[in-house]
Amino acid sequence: MDFALSEEQEMFRGYVRKYLDGAGQTKIAREFAKGNTDGFQAIWTGLADLGCTGITIPEANGGLGLGALDLVPVLEEMGQVLLPGSYLETVAFAVPLLEKYGTEAQKEKYLTEIAAGSRSMTLAWLEPQKGYNPEEISCSARVEGDSLVVDGVKVLVPGGEQADSYVVLVRTDEGLSLVIMDRTNDIEVNAQRCIDETLGLSELTFRQVHILQSQILGPVNQGWSVLQEGLLSLNAALTSVIVGGMEKVIDMSVEYVKIREQFGQPIGRFQALKHRIADMKMELETTRSLSHYANWALESGEADCEAAIYSARTFATEAYINVASHNIQNHGGIGFTEEIDCHLFLKRARFYESYLGSSQHYKEQAALALAW
């Protein structure tokens, strides 16, 4: 079975790469980390003009009507430049859930605006000092007339300051529900510091925020199962981002060992470095294979879809840390400096290690999916 990307998909990758190269590659993330986000908004608009925001959105809503596999080359390119913001959460979490569970009004509003590049969305799940378990959700939404009144705090929200809407997991009368909350002045948004400053994580505080009941996404009190479906898409897409990051890291190592000399010759001639880079390449190609299969299984609705995605997620996050760590070692002392990008990729890899759950959690999920 051939899981290689098609000629059209590779051609689209070329357009995205050329655009991101022109935008400065990791310079985008570096400026974002400094708080200079004006340029990022222009880049988001440029990506929307290329069609990146509407890839999986139906043509009726202004999108291209393509599948999860068509996102793969775009996500890999974004992983190469450590693109900030919530592109991943918008196209790989909010869009598939809106398509499956959204009302006609929600689809008309949100899918159309996402495809046009005028709206981004992100996921608000984790709460202070809490885990990713359903019983730890205390952010609530109570019914008051035709409205829901939301109270609570969400933390570590990716791209929280730039997103236009949040998909929030809240506790309702008899369970958990997902609600869409458009960003307004009623929502307090504060930036949070973390190991990877290029992500723009935020804390959201809801104090008696009123929203219409029509903002519920999916069945009331069934939000946990809806969330799990969204996580399949999101984790499959995440592995593609990781593949892009790993590929860039290995390219950095290969280029460096060609030009750095010791004892009158390039250090790339030393056997220890050759072996290490060969190991890095092996981890990349294994991750790429698992990622492509996971996205194909998701798009095709294969029976082993969950096992494929959770296995890919588990392997990818650990391999990313290994490869990014080896890259610093290959660069020697200069690999520890701010000027070189090595540390940016290791920080991103460490963030993904615990994003949406720990590696141990996803190993257990993979085992359950395989009926072990």
Side-chain angles (χ1 to χ4, degrees), residues 262-279:
Q262 280 287 345
F263 308 111
Q265 58 183 324
I267 60 175
R269 290 184 179 173
F270 300 146
Q271 198 171 47
L273 282 168
K274 286 181 181 179
H275 286 180
R276 184 183 289 156
I277 292 175
D279 288 342

Side-chain angles (χ1 to χ4, degrees), residues 61-77:
N61 297 108
L64 301 176
L66 303 174
L69 263 179
D70 296 287
L71 278 176
V72 168
V74 177
L75 291 165
E76 288 182 359
E77 290 306 311

